[in-house]
């Protein structure tokens, strides 16, 4: 409290603060510092130095900006959009929307009539404004050793060459291009080249199988697939081109043919002589692209023209092609990047996500480059050659001694609720108790951060994503869809649109409406559970299909997991609900122990006691299942669907386990079921 007092001027009057718009009245308590329940959730304050230098340095400043964004969205977002280059300004109204299924089809439009190009804004704009020689991308290869880099001017040249090639082979505005590349510089180059000519990129994470790739090719029917022959992640090469060959053959069976497979020769992984080749269809990137001119005219597009498709898995069925458009996405990713990371032009920024996921789209490629930032792109795995690699990379690009991590300023977290124990490790150990953590809640569908700390603005609570970003109105509703105010928990929805929102599911607007807008009419439904504490902080509790109802008590699996993980012997935990005769649902916990700790009855009891102590007796797990490993997707998400089946002993209904990072863990778990 001392710190915040120093960092932020005292508040004039409480009446000045919003009570209606934005629905975050409890943040008042934070500002006035009078009623925060620090005994419940320890508060972690940004240092006075950090706040002083921050873009948003106090709760009042945030509130002022937030209130404006809600009361005058057109004005607020127009001002931000004006920081970019528009060939022609957008028309009126600045945005139009219908998020209420009862009032007709769902539609969202921002900056309609505005003519721009996101590649131009990422590259040409920066080159022309003095950043030509600034490093845009540092590329760190899988094998520790010399790295590569591209300045903004060089990146622009590379992008133009590829754009010219794509145009030459007939790719036009609106055509889909599938990109199946690992984290080479060629991946953001390919995305930007598509954007430059108005083509719609569909990046498929290079860890997906041939079958999944084929499914995506069949859905968006590209003329061109861009890939590389192989990649090394860790010690072993993966032959991506073989996977693409199979996928293209598979797609042909559904009548979808690919004319060109542009293949980058990734020499460190595989020589071209050893690459399987289809004459007439396959083309080596290095043989053609460098021969094209380094300038390429921009295809000016409407703000509402499509920018990309990104497939994401639903609860069932085929993947959903989330569609984002140019203008709103551009404005939203740029501004969320800037504020959530308190971006300074001298920063070197590294996001470890792969461009195959939304985080890599918004916060490796577009958000940072729109801000003229220097981005690190890393080809390999975080634990190769050992688990110190990340800190090695951090130090390398600031040229300080091994593992000092002194250059770190802000840390980020995304993708799953981060439990307080992990949060504290990240904060204390990685960040030396010095760097604020931006725990950003958002989704493929939302385009950019939705609920996120602004690191200099207010104290953090370990495990809370804190408050909404500008223009975002999170709403918590009960099962009837009625908005609940104040301290509460329920389903997380969003009221009104924001520029980065997805506009449809490709080719299936009906599924878009059904999945996201029908469950709670009038709102966008996120599929997540959330509670808001009395200070207005948001706590994401996981997907609502992960909520367990025990004797009428709603328990977030994440809460139980958090409690388990706080036990010194527990490394990781995943909790699912199972049918229970008396309680409705019982709690079933898969627990991975810290290396070297043996399973024992005593430990089982002590884990249960920990949960009882932290949440209450009603939340005590009915079963602890020892788990040497947990089934995870290649992006690191625990596949609870599989755990639920194991827990309920429906072993013949495990479903597709092929997308797991390590399918072997399932067998292990089944064997350990009765230990
Ligand atoms: C960006 C991304 C979206 C789902 C989302 C939620 C979970 C993401 C989170 C978080 C708690 C956070 N999620 N960020 N949960 N705290 N900071 O991950 O997109 O792959 O589409 O996943 O991830 O459950 O609904 P996506």
């Amino acid at each position: 409290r001392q710190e915040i007092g120093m960092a932020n001027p005292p508040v004039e009057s409480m009446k000045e603060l919003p009570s209606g718009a934005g629905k975050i009245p409890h943040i008042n308590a934070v500002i006035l510092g009078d009623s925060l329940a620090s005994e419940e959730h320890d508060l972690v304050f940004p240092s006075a130095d950090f706040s002083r230098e921050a873009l948003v340095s106090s709760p009042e400043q945030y509130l002022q900006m937030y209130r404006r964004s809600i009361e005058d969205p057109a004005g607020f977002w127009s001002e931000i959009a004006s920081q970019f280059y528009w060939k022609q300004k957008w028309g009126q109204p600045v945005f139009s929307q219908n998020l209420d299924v009862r009032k007709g089809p769902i539609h969202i439009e921002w900056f309609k009539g505005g003519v721009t190009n996101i590649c131009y804004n990422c590259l040409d704009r920066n080159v022309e404004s003095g950043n030509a020689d600034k490093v845009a991308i540092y590329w760190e290869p899988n094998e520790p050793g010399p790295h590569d880099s591209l300045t903004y001017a060089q990146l622009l040249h590379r992008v133009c060459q590829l754009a010219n090639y794509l145009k030459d082979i007939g790719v036009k505005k609106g055509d889909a291009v599938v990109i199946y590349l690992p984290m080479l510089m060629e991946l953001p180059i390919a995305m930007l080249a598509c954007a430059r000519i108005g083509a719609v990129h569909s990046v498929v994470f290079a860890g997906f199988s041939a079958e999944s790739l084929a499914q995506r090719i069949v859905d968006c029917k590209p003329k061109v697939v861009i890939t590389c022959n192989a990649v090394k992640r860790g010690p072993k090469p993966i032959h991506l081109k073989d996977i693409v060959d199979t996928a293209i053959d598979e797609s042909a069976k559904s009548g979808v043919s690919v004319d060109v497979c542009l293949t980058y020769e990734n020499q460190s992984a595989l020589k071209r002589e050893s690459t399987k080749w289809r004459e007439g269809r396959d083309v080596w990137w290095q043989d053609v692209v460098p021969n094209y001119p380094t300038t390429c005219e921009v295809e000016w597009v409407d703000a509402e023209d499509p920018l990309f498709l990104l497939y994401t898995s639903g609860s069932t069925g085929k993947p959903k092609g989330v569609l984002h458009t140019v203008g709103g996405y551009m404005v939203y990713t740029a501004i969320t990047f800037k504020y959530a990371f308190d971006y300074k032009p001298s920063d070197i920024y590294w996001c470890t996500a792969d461009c195959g996921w939304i985080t890599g789209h918004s916060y490796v490629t577009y958000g940072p480059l729109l801000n003229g930032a220097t981005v690190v792109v890393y080809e390999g795995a975080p634990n190769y050659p050992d688990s110190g690699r990340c800190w090695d990379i951090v130090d390398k690009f600031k040229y300080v001694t091994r593992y000092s991590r002194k250059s770190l300023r802000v840390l980020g977290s995304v993708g799953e609720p981060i439990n307080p124990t992990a949060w504290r490790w990240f904060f204390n150990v990685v960040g030396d108790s010095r760097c604020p953590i931006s725990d950003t809640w958002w989704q493929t569908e939302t385009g950019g951060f939705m609920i996120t700390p602004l690191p200099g603005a207010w104290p953090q609570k370990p495990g809370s994503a804190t408050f909404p970003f500008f223009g975002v109105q999170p709403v918590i509703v009960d099962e009837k869809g009625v908005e609940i105010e104040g301290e509460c928990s329920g389903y997380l929805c969003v009221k009104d649109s924001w520029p980065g929102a997805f506009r449809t599911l490709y080719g299936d607007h009906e599924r878009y409406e059904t999945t996201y807008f029908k469950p709670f009419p009038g709102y966008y439904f996120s599929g997540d559970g959330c509670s808001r504490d009395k200070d207005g902080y948001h706590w994401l509790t996981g997907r609502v299909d992960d909520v367990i109802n025990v004797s009428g008590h709603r328990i977030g699996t994440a809460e139980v997991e958090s409690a388990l993980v706080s036990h010194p012997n527990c490394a990781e935990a995943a909790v699912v609900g199972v049918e229970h005769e008396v309680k409705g649902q019982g709690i079933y916990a898969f627990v991975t122990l810290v290396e070297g700790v043996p399973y024992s009855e005593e430990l089982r009891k002590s884990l249960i006691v920990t949960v009882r102590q932290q949440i209450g007796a009603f939340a005590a797990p009915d079963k602890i299942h020892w788990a040497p490993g947990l089934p995870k997707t290649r992006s690191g998400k625990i596949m609870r669907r599989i755990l639920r089946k194991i827990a309920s002993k429906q072993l013949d209904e495990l479903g597709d386990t092929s997308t797991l990072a390590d399918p072997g863990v399932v067998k292990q778990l089944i064997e350990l079921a009765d230990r």
Side-chain angles (χ1 to χ4, degrees):
R1 279 188 216 176
Q2 276 296 323
E3 290 255 62
I4 202 169
M6 276 151 49
N8 309 299
V11 201
E12 304 284 297
S13 128
M14 220 172 139
K15 284 184 216 100
E16 298 266 320
L17 300 167
S19 51
K23 298 272 163 31
I24 44 160
H26 297 287
I27 193 175
N28 295 352
V30 179
I31 295 174
L32 299 168
D34 60 3
S35 72
L36 281 170
S38 22
E39 67 283 1
E40 268 172 50
H41 303 292
D42 315 37
L43 294 168
V44 179
F45 289 86
S47 73
D49 283 349
F50 189 97
S51 285
R52 198 179 305 114
E53 302 291 321
L55 290 167
V56 180
S57 56
S58 66
E60 304 88 273
Q61 194 187 343
Y62 160 76
L63 271 179
Q64 205 178 27
M65 292 173 76
Y66 181 74
R67 183 162 41 180
R68 163 110 204 278
S69 75
I70 302 304
E71 287 172 357
D72 174 22
F76 180 87
W77 289 111
S78 290
E79 247 165 56
I80 289 169
S82 303
Q83 299 167 15
F84 298 97
Y85 178 78
W86 298 79
K87 182 95 182 151
Q88 189 184 306
K89 211 186 152 179
W90 53 90
Q92 290 295 333
V94 174
F95 68 100
S96 72
Q97 61 179 16
N98 173 40
L99 270 61
D100 192 336
V101 278
R102 296 162 302 194
K103 295 182 182 155
I106 301 299
H107 93 108
I108 297 171
E109 280 180 351
W110 282 83
F111 312 113
K112 180 85 184 150
V115 176
T116 188
N117 183 291
I118 194 170
C119 173
Y120 182 90
N121 275 294
C122 285
L123 303 180
D124 310 57
R125 192 173 119 267
N126 280 308
V127 167
E128 283 156 26
S129 65
N131 276 340
D133 297 327
K134 183 173 178 179
V135 173
I137 299 179
Y138 278 121
W139 182 72
E140 170 77 7
N142 178 60
E143 296 301 327
H147 63 270
D148 204 348
S149 67
L150 286 178
T151 63
Y152 270 87
Q154 291 167 330
L155 179 58
L156 174 59
H157 289 173
R158 297 271 186 104
V159 166
C160 286
Q161 288 181 318
L162 179 60
N164 281 321
Y165 168 75
L166 291 174
K167 279 209 292 200
D168 204 23
I169 60 168
V171 178
K172 293 192 188 56
K173 182 181 166 195
D175 289 348
V177 173
V178 163
I179 303 173
Y180 186 74
L181 278 171
M183 288 298 273
L184 304 172
M185 286 201 273
E186 283 65 25
L187 176 44
I189 289 173
M191 294 163 74
L192 289 160
C194 290
R196 190 168 193 87
I197 63 173
V200 181
H201 59 72
S202 169
V203 181
V204 179
F205 174 59
F208 272 115
S209 64
E211 224 167 282
S212 309
L213 176 58
Q215 209 174 18
R216 287 155 175 77
I217 291 174
V218 169
D219 197 60
C220 71
K221 304 177 183 56
K223 286 185 181 146
V224 185
V225 173
I226 304 179
T227 188
C228 72
N229 56 349
V231 66
K232 263 181 157 176
R233 262 178 75 84
K236 65 167 200 253
I238 305 158
H239 291 213
L240 295 181
K241 174 66 166 50
D242 292 354
I243 298 172
V244 174
D245 286 347
T246 312
I248 295 180
D249 287 348
E250 199 56 39
S251 314
K253 291 182 195 156
S254 308
V256 175
S257 64
V258 171
D259 300 341
V260 177
C261 178
L262 182 67
T263 309
Y264 183 82
E265 183 187 4
N266 191 15
Q267 292 206 2
S268 64
L270 187 68
K271 298 273 181 268
R272 63 167 74 188
E273 298 74 49
S274 319
T275 307
K276 287 193 202 115
W277 207 245
R278 299 277 172 91
E279 284 305 332
R281 184 199 69 191
D282 298 347
V283 180
W284 287 111
W285 176 309
Q286 283 95 329
D287 287 356
V288 291
V289 177
N291 305 330
Y292 281 82
T294 54
T295 57
C296 171
E297 250 178 63
V298 166
E299 179 80 38
W300 299 105
V301 298
D302 190 278
E304 281 299 334
D305 280 337
L307 174 62
F308 68 85
L309 287 175
L310 184 58
Y311 289 83
T312 185
S313 27
S315 30
T316 51
K318 71 171 211 185
K320 305 180 276 194
V322 167
L323 185 127
H324 284 283
T325 56
V326 175
Y329 178 84
M330 172 172 85
V331 170
Y332 198 69
T333 53
I335 209 68
T336 46
F337 170 81
K338 179 172 163 182
Y339 284 105
F341 296 125
D342 189 51
Y343 171 68
K344 304 273 189 284
S346 58
D347 287 345
I348 293 173
Y349 163 84
W350 181 25
C351 168
T352 61
D354 192 290
C355 287
W357 310 110
I358 189 66
T359 305
H361 280 63
S362 302
Y363 301 109
V364 175
T365 306
Y366 292 113
L369 296 179
L370 285 164
N371 281 280
T374 296
V375 183
V376 176
V377 171
Y378 170 46
E379 180 185 23
N383 56 353
Y384 180 78
D386 58 49
S387 48
R389 184 67 184 273
C390 288
W391 321 122
D392 213 1
I393 294 173
V394 166
D395 284 358
K396 174 176 182 176
F397 290 101
K398 272 300 188 190
Y399 309 105
V400 287
T401 47
R402 192 168 157 87
Y403 302 170
S404 82
R405 304 179 314 278
K406 282 208 178 70
S407 60
L408 289 174
R409 210 165 63 75
V410 180
L411 302 172
S413 167
V414 67
E416 276 206 295
I418 179 169
N419 63 66
T421 306
W423 196 99
R424 284 188 184 287
W425 171 81
F426 201 28
F427 184 77
N428 292 327
V429 179
V430 176
D432 283 328
S433 311
R434 183 173 50 78
C435 310
I437 297 175
S438 283
D439 173 9
T440 60
W441 175 81
W442 61 298
Q443 308 175 295
T444 304
E445 292 87 341
T446 69
F449 303 149
M450 298 292 280
I451 301 181
T452 175
L454 300 185
W458 51 65
Q460 296 195 299
K461 297 189 185 187
S464 165
T466 71
F467 297 104
F469 192 74
F470 306 128
V472 174
Q473 298 176 71
V475 165
I476 298 179
V477 302
D478 64 17
E479 45 294 328
K480 294 197 186 82
V482 178
E483 198 173 325
I484 341 173
E485 304 202 3
E487 199 180 345
C488 64
S489 46
Y491 301 97
L492 181 60
C493 292
V494 183
K495 185 157 74 183
D496 292 343
S497 74
W498 62 98
F502 67 142
R503 306 302 199 243
T504 191
L505 291 179
Y506 182 68
D508 201 348
H509 200 70
E510 198 182 320
R511 188 174 180 196
Y512 174 72
E513 296 183 334
T514 310
T515 312
Y516 301 101
F517 297 93
K518 282 197 181 146
F520 301 110
Y523 304 113
Y524 163 74
F525 173 46
S526 69
D528 279 322
C530 181
S531 53
R532 191 165 45 212
D533 69 19
K534 65 190 188 40
D535 302 315
Y537 284 70
H538 292 82
W539 300 79
L540 277 302
T541 51
R543 302 293 304 195
V544 283
D545 32 17
D546 295 331
V547 168
I548 308 176
N549 195 329
V550 182
S551 309
H553 298 283
R554 182 180 293 164
I555 303 163
T557 51
E559 285 171 70
V560 182
E561 288 161 9
S562 238
L564 287 167
V565 171
S566 74
H567 189 287
N569 290 333
C570 176
E572 201 171 17
V575 167
V576 297
V578 280
E579 238 180 85
H580 190 284
E581 252 183 30
V582 180
K583 306 186 210 173
Q585 273 191 306
I587 298 178
Y588 194 108
F590 293 85
V591 170
T592 306
L593 297 178
V594 168
E595 226 175 288
V597 174
Y599 310 138
S600 73
E601 201 43 44
E602 206 181 311
L603 181 52
R604 193 192 301 271
K605 283 189 187 131
S606 130
L607 285 164
I608 292 172
V609 168
T610 305
V611 180
R612 280 174 171 262
Q613 280 172 347
Q614 295 206 5
I615 307 173
F618 64 89
D622 298 278
K623 163 93 185 173
I624 301 274
H625 186 139
W626 304 121
L630 292 169
K632 289 184 185 174
T633 61
R634 294 194 184 89
S635 68
K637 292 207 167 109
I638 297 171
M639 286 191 79
R640 287 162 209 280
R641 172 175 65 75
I642 293 174
L643 292 178
R644 269 187 224 108
K645 295 293 177 194
I646 296 175
S648 56
K649 297 210 163 31
Q650 294 166 293
L651 299 182
D652 47 349
E653 287 173 44
L654 288 176
D656 184 11
T657 54
S658 66
T659 55
L660 289 176
D662 173 16
V665 299
V666 173
K667 194 164 161 264
Q668 275 182 330
L669 284 178
I670 294 171
E671 284 164 2
L672 281 168
D674 295 311
R675 286 259 333 247

